[in-house]
């Protein structure tokens, strides 16, 4: 329904999609401006940082397209309109994710894909079967990890009522963090996004394997293939948190 509604105004859709593309493109422009003054950032060249950027942007773009509307849950909790979703014969999670589905988010996904393609064309990588297989697995796993963060953030809103900005700090803030190499951050932060909120498995660790770079925190080489497992580990507690939050919901009344 939301897609049909969006496509009823094709010029508006084209302009908003381009706006989404342009807004995210300026993030990469900022990185390019940095490299106009330096040859490397934390020991990483521009194509290597673009590779990190592309992996993060595509993974997050997929998650944002599929489930990015979860940040609207707080508003529904506050005004009581979540009640309408509870009586419909469809999973509440799917309904919240599809609420005001924004097809314009394809602009973010397209921009990330172009940067990733440019990075791959500039990198001198010794491609093996393992590295080729790791690429789609990394993107899908990264999408699942970000989806888990979206769902966990939505579950938190059952307690906080309306804390979308807290959720955005870990979703939009997380993808911005991952656009830069781990070597520019302190070890405490790197440990946090590896062992507490495992965003490092979205791109830092797989990219280190593909590029033949030292792993953050001197982790073993096999962790580069762990993103699918990490995605499952993230999705299970996020799903349980969502179920617990939904059971604890009390309507605002009429």
């Amino acid at each position: 329904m939301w897609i049909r509604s969006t496509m009823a105004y094709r010029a508006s859709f084209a302009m908003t999609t381009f706006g989404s593309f342009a807004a995210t493109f300026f993030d990469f422009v900022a990185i390019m401006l940095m490299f106009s003054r330096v040859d490397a950032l934390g020991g990483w060249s521009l194509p290597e940082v673009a590779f990190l950027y592309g992996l993060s942007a595509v993974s997050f773009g997929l998650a944002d397209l599929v489930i990015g509307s979860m940040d609207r849950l707080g508003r529904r909790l506050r005004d009581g309109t979540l009640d309408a979703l509870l009586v419909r014969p469809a999973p509440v999670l799917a309904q919240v994710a599809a609420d005001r589905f924004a097809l314009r988010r394809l602009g973010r996904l397209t921009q990330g894909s172009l940067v990733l393609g440019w990075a791959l064309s500039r990198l001198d990588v010794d491609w093996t079967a393992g590295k080729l297989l790791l690429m789609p697995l990394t993107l899908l796993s990264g999408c699942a990890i970000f989806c888990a963060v979206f769902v966990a953030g939505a579950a938190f809103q059952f307690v906080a009522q309306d804390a979308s900005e807290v959720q955005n700090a870990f979703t939009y803030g997380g993808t911005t963090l991952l656009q830069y190499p781990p070597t520019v951050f302190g070890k405490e932060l790197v440990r946090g996004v590896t062992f507490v909120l495992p965003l490092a498995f979205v791109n830092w660790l797989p990219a280190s394997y593909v590029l033949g770079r030292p792993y953050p925190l001197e982790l073993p080489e096999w962790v580069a293939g762990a993103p699918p497992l990490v995605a499952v580990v993230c999705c299970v507690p996020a799903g349980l948190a969502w179920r617990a939050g939904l059971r604890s919901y009390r309507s605002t009344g009429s």
Side-chain angles (χ1 to χ4, degrees), residues 98-180:
D99 186 24
R100 295 188 178 275
F101 181 81
L103 197 61
R104 66 177 183 275
R105 293 186 176 122
L106 284 172
R108 175 188 293 273
L109 180 59
T110 302
Q111 187 266 339
S113 300
L114 291 176
V115 173
L116 180 59
W118 179 83
L120 290 173
S121 69
R122 297 293 301 272
L123 289 170
D124 184 17
V125 178
D126 182 18
W127 291 105
T128 62
K131 292 180 180 180
L132 289 172
L133 179 61
L134 184 61
M135 288 296 297
L137 287 177
T138 296
L139 295 175
L140 293 176
S141 301
C143 171
I145 291 172
F146 275 121
C147 284
V149 177
F150 270 112
V151 173
F156 174 71
Q157 295 196 53
F158 282 105
V159 178
Q161 296 302 313
D162 192 1
S164 59
E165 292 306 320
V166 175
Q167 177 180 335
N168 292 342
F170 293 97
T171 52
Y172 292 92
T175 188
T176 301
L177 172 76
L178 296 177
Q179 292 170 2
Y180 298 91

Side-chain angles (χ1 to χ4, degrees), residues 1 12 16 20 30 65 76 84 89-90 93-94 101 105 118 138 148 156 174 180 199 205-207 211-212 218 252:
M1 181 187 69
S12 175
T16 55
S20 175
L65 178 66
R76 285 191 171 276
L93 179 61
F101 181 81
R105 293 186 176 122
W118 179 83
T138 296
F156 174 71
Y180 298 91
L199 296 177
L205 296 172
L211 300 176
E218 300 180 355
T252 58

Side-chain angles (χ1 to χ4, degrees), residues 1-253:
M1 181 187 69
W2 287 112
I3 292 175
R4 291 183 64 183
S5 175
T6 298
M7 298 310 294
Y9 303 93
R10 296 180 184 273
S12 175
F13 167 70
M15 288 187 289
T16 55
T17 302
F18 177 77
S20 175
F21 177 95
T24 53
F25 178 70
F26 281 117
D27 291 339
F28 188 65
V29 169
I31 295 175
M32 296 177 66
L33 290 175
M34 293 181 191
F35 277 93
S36 68
R37 300 299 183 207
V38 298
D39 295 328
L41 186 62
W44 292 60
S45 66
L46 176 58
E48 291 173 331
V49 174
F51 185 56
L52 291 178
Y53 180 100
L55 289 176
S56 172
V58 172
S59 297
F60 180 78
L62 288 170
D64 191 39
L65 178 66
V66 173
I67 206 168
S69 296
M70 296 296 291
D71 59 2
R72 298 181 56 84
L73 178 64
R75 187 179 306 173
R76 285 191 171 276
L77 292 172
R78 190 173 64 251
D79 60 21
T81 55
L82 183 65
D83 295 7
L85 307 186
L86 295 175
V87 298
R88 293 174 182 169
V92 178
L93 179 61
Q95 294 184 70
V96 175
D99 186 24
R100 295 188 178 275
F101 181 81
L103 197 61
R104 66 177 183 275
R105 293 186 176 122
L106 284 172
R108 175 188 293 273
L109 180 59
T110 302
Q111 187 266 339
S113 300
L114 291 176
V115 173
L116 180 59
W118 179 83
L120 290 173
S121 69
R122 297 293 301 272
L123 289 170
D124 184 17
V125 178
D126 182 18
W127 291 105
T128 62
K131 292 180 180 180
L132 289 172
L133 179 61
L134 184 61
M135 288 296 297
L137 287 177
T138 296
L139 295 175
L140 293 176
S141 301
C143 171
I145 291 172
F146 275 121
C147 284
V149 177
F150 270 112
V151 173
F156 174 71
Q157 295 196 53
F158 282 105
V159 178
Q161 296 302 313
D162 192 1
S164 59
E165 292 306 320
V166 175
Q167 177 180 335
N168 292 342
F170 293 97
T171 52
Y172 292 92
T175 188
T176 301
L177 172 76
L178 296 177
Q179 292 170 2
Y180 298 91
T183 49
V184 304
F185 301 107
K187 286 188 176 181
E188 292 76 13
L189 179 60
V190 176
R191 289 192 184 97
V193 296
T194 302
F195 301 113
V196 181
L197 185 64
L199 296 177
F201 291 87
V202 173
N203 63 349
W204 282 354
L205 296 172
S208 296
Y209 172 74
V210 172
L211 300 176
R213 282 191 158 275
Y215 286 21
L217 306 176
E218 300 180 355
L219 293 171
E221 185 175 341
W222 60 266
V223 298
L229 177 61
V230 172
V232 173
V233 172
C234 290
C235 288
V236 170
L240 294 175
W242 170 262
R243 289 174 61 88
L246 196 59
R247 286 197 299 267
S248 68
Y249 172 68
R250 296 293 180 269
S251 172
T252 58

